[in-house]
Structure formats: C-alpha cells, structure tokens
C-alpha cells in the first residue's frame, strides 16, 4: 500500500500540479539537482503566490521537442512554462504557442545577457523567452601527449597531428541534432550560413568546406571507432579511455574527467573550438535553455514572474556549479562559484560570444533533419556534390515536402 | 396420400416464411449482440483511418496552422515521386523478405522439435516462447548493446574481428535489425506452424513408412503439402508485421540512420518529428495500402485462407 501510494504520488507530481497557483515548468531532467534547487528557492521566495512544479522531460532533445510540440499543438493548459532548447524559439513563436515578452518583461529578459544567448530568444523583432543557461563546445586535448594548440589551430592541422601521433579526434557524428551542431559550426567557420536573416535558405561553398573537413576526418586513421554513431557521451568515453587526444565537446566532460583518475583531469587542456579556415576565427556551437511562457497558460502573469525568478543570476550560478551549464548573464561569470566550477570560465564566455547560432527558422526541425541526412554517414560524404544535394533537400524541407 | 404429398410442397413456402421470420429475429438479435463490438471497431479503427485519409488530402503542418488548405492528392504525388519513399520501400522489403524467410525455416525446425518432444513438452514450448514475450524495445536494446564495440560481447567472441562494428555500416545495421526481428518473432511463426503440424494425420506417415518412404520424402511429400494452409497463414501474418517494422529500427539505428530508414520510420519522421500532418498522413495511408496489397496477394494469388486454418485447428 505504501509503495502504491508513493507511486501514485510520484505520478501526480510528474504530471504537474493543478490549482490556481500551480505553475508547471516542462523542462529536461537536469541530473545535477540545479533545477530542483532553483524551483525550491523560487517557491520559497514566492511565499505562496505561486508554486512551481518541475515536470521532467526525457533527456533526448528530440523527444523533449516532440512532447512539447504535441502538447502545445493540442493547446494543453497544463503547461505554463517551457524550458526551450535554443533552437525551438522560431518554431514555437511562429505557431503562436508562446507569448512574447513585452515592455518591462522584455527589459528583464534582456538585462545584462550575452549577445549570443540573447539572439536565440529573438524572432521577428520580438523576444519570446528569457535566456537561462547557455552552452558551447571547447577543444579538449591531452596536455601530456600533444602540443598546446595555437590560437589559429584548424581542423586540418588537428586531424593531421592526430594522424601523425596515431591517435583520434572525438566528434559528434551520429545522425542526430549533434551532427547539425558540428556542421553548422564548420559552415559558419568558413564564413557561411545555412539560413539568412530573412529565413531564406543560403547554401554556398562553405558547405563544401564543412564536408571536406568531415570527410577528411572520417576517412583518416584519426577517425574514432564508431564515429558515425557517436554522440556526446561516446566522445567523452573515447577521450577518457585514452584512445584519442583531441575532442570537441561541452564542458560537462571536465567534471567527468575527475572521476577517471588522479592525473587525468590535470592532463586535460582546453582551447577554443578549432577553425575551419586558417584566417577565419572559429564559430563554436551555441546551446542552452531559454524559458518561455505558454500561450495556453491560465495564469500568464504568475508564469512570467516564475520564469524571471528561475532564470535569475543566483540560479544561473547554481546551474553552472551543480549542472555544468554555463550562465547567460555576463556578470555571473565573475562570481566565485562559477570561477571555481570552471577554471576556463573566460574562454567559455569568449566562445559563447563568438558562437554561431543555428538557423532561426520555424522550419528548423526540417532543416536540421535535411542537414543530418546530407552529411551522414561521414565517410560517404562527397564534398563535390554536397552543395547541390544540400540545397535541394533544404528547399524541399522549407516547402514542407519529403526529402 | 395424394393430398398429403401435394400439400407438402404447398406447405413448404409458408413454412419457409415462418422460418424466415424467426431467422430475421435471430439475425436481428445477432446484430444487436454484435453491435457493441462493431461500434467499438468503427470508433477505434474506422474513424482514425478515415481521419488520416481526410488529413492526407490537406496541406496541414502543426507549426503553420494558418497555412491549412485542401490540396487533393498533391501529398500523394509528393511522396510517390520522391526517391526517399522508394528507397525506404526497398529497404523495408529487404528486411521483410530476409527476416520472414529465415523465420520460416527456423520456425519450421522449432515446430518439429516442439511437435516431437517426448518429455518436458510444456517447458520446451514455454522456453521457446520466451523471446516472443519480451517487449520489442527491450529486445532491440539488448541486441544493440550486444553489438556495440565498447559495451557488447559480440566483438569479444572468437572468430569475430575485434574491430568489427556492424552498427557503423548499412549492411551491418540491417543484419542486426533482421537478427533482432528473427530472434523475437520466430516463436510466433513456430507456434502457427505447430498448429498446422498437428493436423497431419499420423496414419499417413505410418503408411508411407511401410511403403519405404524416407524421412525427407515424408517431410516434403506429406507434411509440407498438408501444412500448406498453415504455412501460408503464418507467412501472411509475419509479412504484414515485418512490413510495418518500427521499434527495432528506431532503437538499433535511431532515426533510420545509415540507410536503414523503413516506411514506418519515414512516416514517424514526417508526422511526429516534422509535425507535417498532411504529408505524414499520406505516407500512413500509403503504408496501409501496401499492407492491403500484401494481404490481397496472399489471399487471392496464393490462396491463403484463414477460415480454413481456424476450422481445422
């Protein structure tokens, strides 16, 4: 009976609460406890005015999106706040599923935020969320095995060096969003873009450059085992196993390295994301979570208040410390908490500021799927035909056709 | 006498009519008894199919609710003229044909074992059925992990290269998918075949034995021909299932990567991931039509009869 009651209670909380003051926040399940801490803190501060329920979504980004889209399309009133991946803004805003932040609210949302994360909440000159956490990738390397990468280190140099030393380069090249992240950064690093400001498909020779880098790595001995099915975690494991001396990945790999062994973390160096072209600065990936208010919420005012609380500086610092999620507010990088959690805090901030956002378009998921299909599997990518192939798929994607 | 004989046929029509009245009432009763089931069927299968067909005639994307319009058969044109659809149909057919063929052979062998098992019949049958009782997603994960180069045991087996990464290649992935499918559904095939095997009279075998027929001759000349209806039904069921394969592919090669995309995965990607209800529904309806085609082929061309199977079993 006790077990049954506990299970029922658990079900109840995961489905979100009801009542005049309940605010249901649908966001991914953050394992470090940072979101739990933010929710508890805000509820305490609200002093009964509202009560946030943390409804945990699956860890897989695609599944999170599918669930949110399905519920919002059905005008589900039980969602008040959405923890939005940075790439969802245009899609949810265009469909009219999330409310714009106007006037005073907009000022709060934009206050002291870094340029990159701020761009990810904007759509058609309006702001559709408050930036909460950000994320970017760094180049991680083995200090005991390879030289310190120079500032203008390129993918080509890295691959050549790995081949020389008989080691590998860890990347994310499974057919999933992570592949889009990599390709987008390679394209932006070659001075190109996939979709322009007006939302039109722009595919040029930078896509060919991206394909050249991808194909070079995939066909070289520096390609890690399972490259075409590796995601972030397989890359981390590969680096920790010692099979590779380079890896591009999010900062979560740093705390994880401490668990490998005494010296492992000490021997782990960090540098800015590698360049696609020698004379173009690199454009690291940009990730993160923004908080949006659902158009179908019965209490939007309370929801806006709750979102402002959740995304405040204190909670960003907690998210950085406990969850390894970099802040979106500039000043938070100066706090002791963040400096202690990230010895590389300055590089992180520089990377986020220089990052290449992924295309801002309501058809993002179609575009991303088209990129994934075109650039996969990595060893079969043909740089010569890629521009036409990608353009054809992107146009079909934008027209809502099959590709 | 004469009157009686002539009155008999004369009396027949009214008598027949009387029976008709009763039959009518009975038929009415039968309909009323069936009604709840029929209504349930219409609600849970008829309505969704009709609604999917209605959606397939529209341009309707969840994310662009304002752009909704009636486009007739344009979505079907899009799907049928795209190379993606035909590539996926081909992939699906390969998985279907290969897995069903292997299942038939293995299933027959297992059915013979179950049929002939002298002691421990119950435990033997139960053991063979276990894979069928395991949830497909769980089984698919088990196979995926087994073939994973870092966590799986397959790479460590003798005679298999330690660098073998079947899940990194198209053919390797298809092989693992077929393997998972075969492992999971062979028991079902075996069960259906076992039912057919039970129908072959022992006397025929004994008579053939007396006439000097070998084991092989008896199997091909007696067992197989008599089992034909059961085999066809088993093949029909499995082919229909295999053509709609989804979970194994979804788990083993997420998103249908590396050219493992089947028609169901394509439908899922368009319908759920892209939120394109019009185009996705057109794909669903086309899959539905393919399934009907397969069923018609089995019933009309090969003469499969489920009634016969049911009647004899």
């Amino acid at each position: 009976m006790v077990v049954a009651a506990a299970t029922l209670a658990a079900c109840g909380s995961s489905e979100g609460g009801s009542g005049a003051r309940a605010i249901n926040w649908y966001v991914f399940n953050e394992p470090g406890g940072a979101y739990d801490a933010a929710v508890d803190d805000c509820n305490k501060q609200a002093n009964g005015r509202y009560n946030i329920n943390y409804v945990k979504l699956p860890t897989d980004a695609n599944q999170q999106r599918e669930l949110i889209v399905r519920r919002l399309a059905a005008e589900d009133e039980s969602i008040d706040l959405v923890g939005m991946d940075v790439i969802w803004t245009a899609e949810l805003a265009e469909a009219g599923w999330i409310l714009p932040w106007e006037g005073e609210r907009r000022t709060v949302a934009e206050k002291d935020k870094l340029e990159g994360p701020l761009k990810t909440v904007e759509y058609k000159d309006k702001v559709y969320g408050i930036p909460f956490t950000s994320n970017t990738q760094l180049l991680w390397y083995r200090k005991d095995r390879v030289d310190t990468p120079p500032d203008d280190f390129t993918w080509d140099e890295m691959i050549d060096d790995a081949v020389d030393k008989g080691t590998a380069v860890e990347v994310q090249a499974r057919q999933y969003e992570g592949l889009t992240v990599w390709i987008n950064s390679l394209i932006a690093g070659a001075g190109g873009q996939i979709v322009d400001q007006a939302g039109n498909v722009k595919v040029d020779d930078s896509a060919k450059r991206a394909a050249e880098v991808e194909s070079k790595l995939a066909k070289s001995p520096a390609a890690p085992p399972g490259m075409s099915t590796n995601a972030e975690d397989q890359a981390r494991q590969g680096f920790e196993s010692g099979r590779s001396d380079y890896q591009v990945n999010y900062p979560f790999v740093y705390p994880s390295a401490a668990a490998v062994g005494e010296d492992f973390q000490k021997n782990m160096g960090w540098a800015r994301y590698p360049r696609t072209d020698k004379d173009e600065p690199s454009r690291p990936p940009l990730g993160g979570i923004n908080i949006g208010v659902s158009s179908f919420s019965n209490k939007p005012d309370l929801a806006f208040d709750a979102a402002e609380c959740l995304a405040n500086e204190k909670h960003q610092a907690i998210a950085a410390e406990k969850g390894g999620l970099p802040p979106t507010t500039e000043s938070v990088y100066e706090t002791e908490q963040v400096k202690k959690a990230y010895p590389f805090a300055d590089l992180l901030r520089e990377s986020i500021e220089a990052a290449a956002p992924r295309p801002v378009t309501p058809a993002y998921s179609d575009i991303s799927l088209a990129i994934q299909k075109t650039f996969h599997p990595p060893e079969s990518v043909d740089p010569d035909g890629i521009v036409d192939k990608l353009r054809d798929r992107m146009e079909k994607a934008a027209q809502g056709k099959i590709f | 006498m004469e009157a009686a004989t002539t009155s008999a046929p004369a009396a027949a029509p009214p008598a027949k009519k009387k029976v008709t009245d009763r039959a009518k009432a009975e038929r009415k009763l039968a309909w009323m008894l069936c009604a709840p089931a029929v209504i349930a069927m219409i609600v849970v299968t008829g309505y969704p199919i009709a609604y999917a067909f209605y959606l397939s005639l529209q341009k309707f994307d969840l994310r662009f609710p304002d752009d909704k319009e009636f486009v007739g058969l344009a979505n079907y044109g899009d799907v049928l003229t795209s190379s993606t659809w035909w590539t996926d149909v081909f992939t699906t057919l390969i998985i279907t044909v290969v897995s069903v063929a292997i299942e038939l052979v293995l299933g027959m062998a297992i059915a013979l074992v179950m049929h002939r098992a002298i002691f421990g019949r119950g435990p033997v049958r139960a053991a063979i059925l276990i894979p069928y009782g395991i949830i497909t997603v769980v089984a698919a994960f088990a196979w995926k992990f087994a073939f994973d180069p870092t966590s799986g045991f397959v790479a460590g087996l003798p005679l298999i290269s330690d660098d073998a990464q079947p899940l990194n290649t198209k053919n390797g992935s298809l092989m693992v998918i077929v393997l998972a499918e075969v492992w999971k559904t062979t028991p079902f095939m075996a069960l259906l075949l076992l039912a057919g095997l039970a129908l072959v009279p022992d006397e025929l075998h004994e008579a053939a034995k007396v006439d000097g027929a070998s084991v092989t001759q008896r199997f091909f000349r007696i067992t197989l021909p008599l089992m034909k209806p059961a085999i066809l039904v088993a093949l029909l069921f499995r082919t229909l299932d295999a053509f709609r394969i989804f979970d194994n592919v979804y788990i083993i090669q997420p998103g249908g990567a590396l050219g493992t995309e089947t028609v169901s995965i394509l439908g899922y990607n368009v319908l759920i991931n892209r939120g394109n209800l019009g185009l996705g529904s057109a794909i669903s309806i086309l899959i539905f039509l393919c399934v009907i085609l397969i069923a018609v082929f089995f019933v009309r061309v090969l003469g499969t009869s489920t009634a016969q199977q049911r009647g004899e079993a």
Side-chain angles (χ1 to χ4, degrees):
Chain A
M1 268 317 281
V2 176
V3 176
T7 320
L8 278 178
C11 284
S13 73
S14 73
E15 275 297 306
S18 50
R21 290 169 302 163
I23 297 288
N24 293 320
W25 181 29
Y26 282 65
V27 69
F28 83 96
N29 183 4
E30 197 281 300
Y35 289 1
D36 287 299
V39 167
D40 288 346
D41 189 49
C42 288
N43 285 344
K44 217 175 280 168
Q45 279 180 36
N47 207 5
R49 220 160 55 78
Y50 58 74
N51 189 45
I52 305 169
N53 288 309
Y54 173 11
V55 186
K56 291 166 183 168
L57 296 179
T59 32
D60 180 282
N62 270 342
Q63 288 176 8
Q64 291 166 25
R65 189 186 139 267
E66 280 164 16
L67 190 144
I68 289 291
V69 165
R70 213 160 46 214
R71 285 197 172 221
L72 289 178
E75 311 194 351
D76 185 348
E77 291 172 7
S78 73
I79 301 183
D80 299 293
L81 293 177
V82 188
M84 309 184 292
D85 199 308
V86 287
I87 49 184
W88 302 350
T89 312
E91 181 178 16
L92 303 191
E94 177 70 34
W97 294 334
I98 47 174
L99 296 171
W101 291 54
E102 283 160 336
E104 194 64 19
R105 302 275 187 202
R106 179 171 177 160
T107 317
V108 175
E110 291 179 323
K111 195 173 164 247
D112 296 333
K113 296 295 181 327
L114 294 171
E115 181 71 18
L118 201 50
K119 279 254 158 66
T120 66
V121 291
E122 284 168 6
Y123 181 64
K124 290 189 175 164
D125 296 327
K126 284 187 175 172
V127 166
Y128 283 93
I130 182 166
F132 180 22
T133 57
S134 187
N135 222 339
T136 191
Q137 293 194 346
L138 303 180
L139 168 61
W140 307 91
Y141 62 96
R142 289 284 295 261
K143 283 197 267 192
D144 53 340
R145 292 197 192 160
V146 296
D147 302 329
T148 308
D151 281 345
D152 58 356
F153 201 44
T154 63
W155 278 94
D156 287 325
E157 288 165 353
M158 176 165 69
I159 296 166
D160 292 342
D161 187 52
V163 172
D164 280 350
K165 297 204 164 71
T167 176
V169 177
E170 299 289 342
V171 292
Q172 292 85 47
R174 178 189 289 178
Q175 186 178 317
Y176 80 127
E177 185 59 32
L179 179 60
T180 309
V181 167
W182 184 30
I183 298 301
N184 184 59
S185 278
L186 287 176
I187 289 179
Q193 54 185 354
I194 296 168
V195 172
D196 69 7
Q197 288 281 317
N200 299 314
V201 172
K202 275 262 155 35
V203 178
D204 55 23
D205 274 351
S206 55
K208 187 181 167 192
R209 262 306 287 150
E212 280 166 4
V213 170
E214 184 192 24
S215 151
K216 177 175 177 175
L217 176 60
K219 286 180 177 154
S220 81
M227 177 172 161
S228 62
T229 47
N230 283 358
E232 287 86 357
D233 221 44
Q234 285 79 10
R236 173 187 65 81
Q237 286 167 2
F239 187 76
E240 288 177 359
S241 74
R243 75 178 178 202
S244 42
D245 294 348
Y246 290 108
Q247 112 170 285
V248 287
N249 215 330
Y250 296 99
F252 80 98
V253 299
Y254 185 70
S256 166
V260 177
E262 279 270 309
D263 291 332
F264 190 80
Q265 202 185 33
K266 260 186 242 159
N267 283 326
M268 198 165 161
W270 49 83
R272 184 159 154 176
Y273 199 80
R275 296 182 174 203
T276 311
D277 286 335
K278 192 85 187 158
D279 41 9
E280 281 274 345
S282 71
R283 303 293 306 277
L286 184 63
I289 295 287
N290 303 317
I291 305 179
V293 176
S294 162
S295 306
F296 311 107
S297 168
N298 290 325
K299 44 226 160 204
D301 280 330
L302 286 182
F304 275 114
D305 287 348
E308 283 173 12
C309 173
L310 286 169
N312 72 19
E313 280 129 52
K314 182 178 163 194
H315 300 142
Q316 287 187 26
I318 294 177
E321 194 186 13
K322 287 194 170 178
L325 303 166
T328 49
T329 303
E330 220 170 336
S331 59
V332 182
Y333 283 89
E334 306 302 327
T335 60
E336 280 309 307
Q337 258 169 312
V338 172
K339 286 208 160 146
K340 210 179 125 199
Y342 302 128
F344 40 84
D346 289 337
L347 175 64
L348 209 53
R349 188 171 129 186
E350 178 198 318
S351 298
I352 289 170
E353 278 173 329
R358 279 166 275 169
V360 178
T361 155
Y364 179 79
S365 53
D366 305 58
I367 300 267
S368 177
L369 212 56
I371 295 172
Q372 293 164 33
K373 277 196 168 182
T374 313
F375 286 87
H376 199 271
E379 62 275 12
S380 319
V381 164
D382 167 29
D384 286 326
I386 203 103
V387 175
D388 291 333
K389 215 167 158 185
L390 183 61
R391 192 178 290 140
D392 175 56
R393 281 222 172 99
M394 302 278 266
E395 275 161 10
K396 280 187 181 146
Q399 290 161 13
K401 290 192 172 171
I402 209 165
F403 52 81
Chain B
M1 277 300 284
E2 239 189 303
T5 44
T6 48
S7 72
K16 208 175 178 183
K17 205 183 171 193
K18 230 180 192 172
V19 172
T20 311
D21 274 347
R22 194 174 154 193
K24 249 187 194 167
E26 276 185 352
R27 197 171 296 160
K28 201 178 162 197
L29 179 68
W31 271 110
M32 279 165 68
L33 290 173
C34 285
V38 169
I39 291 169
M41 283 292 278
I42 289 173
V43 170
V44 301
T45 65
Y47 172 73
I49 292 172
Y51 186 57
F53 181 68
Y54 166 75
L55 281 177
S56 74
L57 300 177
Q58 306 200 3
K59 183 183 175 192
F60 184 16
D61 192 312
L62 269 185
R63 297 157 303 169
F64 306 100
D66 298 338
D67 294 353
K68 196 171 157 180
E69 58 176 326
F70 184 82
V71 291
L73 295 174
N75 285 328
Y76 291 92
D78 264 0
V79 176
L80 293 175
T81 53
S82 83
S83 60
T84 312
W85 163 258
W86 293 110
T87 315
D88 291 356
V89 168
F90 185 66
T91 311
T92 315
L93 284 177
I94 286 183
I95 294 177
T96 308
V97 170
V98 175
S99 64
V100 173
I102 299 175
E103 279 163 26
L104 178 64
V105 175
L106 282 182
M108 182 61 95
I110 292 174
L112 286 170
V113 168
M114 288 200 282
H115 190 58
R116 296 270 166 242
I118 295 165
F119 56 89
R121 216 173 235 218
V124 166
R125 289 187 183 182
I128 285 169
L129 274 175
I130 285 176
Y132 193 59
I134 291 178
I135 297 158
T136 315
V137 172
V138 175
F141 267 118
W143 282 102
K144 184 191 169 119
F145 290 142
F147 279 92
D148 188 283
T150 44
S151 65
F153 68 89
V154 175
L157 291 178
L159 299 180
I160 293 178
S161 151
D162 284 355
D163 298 330
Q165 299 170 26
L167 293 177
N168 247 345
T169 62
K170 177 180 174 168
N171 290 339
S173 306
L174 286 176
M175 185 198 80
V176 176
I177 289 167
V178 166
L179 204 61
E181 186 76 359
V182 167
W183 180 81
K184 157 98 188 155
T185 49
T186 299
F188 177 69
M189 185 72 108
L191 210 60
L192 288 178
L193 293 179
L194 179 65
L197 214 49
L199 303 176
V200 182
D202 277 345
E203 302 88 76
L204 283 180
H205 278 285
E206 277 155 25
K209 225 189 247 173
V210 171
D211 289 344
S214 70
V215 176
T216 340
Q217 277 174 326
R218 273 182 283 145
F219 179 74
F220 284 104
R221 297 285 171 87
I222 298 175
T223 314
L224 272 191
L226 283 172
M227 277 182 71
K228 191 189 161 205
I231 293 176
L232 285 178
V233 169
L235 282 180
L236 170 65
F237 284 0
R238 276 303 307 142
T239 309
L240 292 184
D241 265 359
F243 189 79
R244 293 174 296 128
I245 182 169
F246 179 82
D247 7 20
N248 268 329
V249 182
Y250 184 78
I251 300 296
I252 292 173
Q253 207 50 272
L258 288 171
T260 58
E261 192 173 80
T262 65
V263 284
S264 299
I265 295 275
L266 176 70
Y268 169 84
N269 278 342
V270 175
L271 206 55
I272 308 290
N273 193 338
R274 295 175 63 190
N276 195 327
L277 297 188
L279 200 58
S281 299
I283 294 173
S284 308
I285 294 288
L286 285 171
I287 295 174
F288 180 60
L289 291 179
C290 288
V291 166
I292 290 182
L293 269 181
I294 293 173
V296 167
F297 173 77
F298 268 93
V299 173
R300 287 288 148 95
V301 181
L302 301 180
T304 314
S305 160
T306 48
Q308 195 181 347
Q309 164 78 358
R310 273 203 307 271
E312 286 175 2

